[in-house]
Amino acid sequence: MGTLPASPTGPSAAPAHLVGLGPPNVVLILADYMGWGDLGSYGNSLIRTPNLDRLAAKGARYTA
């Protein structure tokens, strides 16, 4: 078996259009027994979730 040719920029080099942007901002929150309707950002007025609502207001919402 042969070996793969080495990249001139190295295996971990970022594409030119991404250089200087820094690391991505990703927050992954895992919760057990919590539905999407349990958050204030989705309309719930009984359970207060101010910190998660603030994150939701500054982020993107992906719904089907």
Side-chain angles (χ1 to χ4, degrees):
M1 273 194 202
T3 59
L4 294 174
S7 171
T9 57
S12 63
H17 67 281
L18 296 178
V19 173
L21 291 179
N25 294 321
V26 176
V27 176
L28 178 63
I29 299 173
L30 300 176
D32 199 9
Y33 299 109
M34 183 177 190
W36 66 269
D38 293 336
L39 297 174
S41 60
Y42 283 91
N44 189 339
S45 60
L46 298 176
I47 302 171
R48 295 184 48 188
T49 56
N51 295 326
L52 294 176
D53 296 343
R54 189 170 36 256
L55 283 172
K58 293 181 180 181
R61 182 181 292 191
Y62 298 98
T63 59

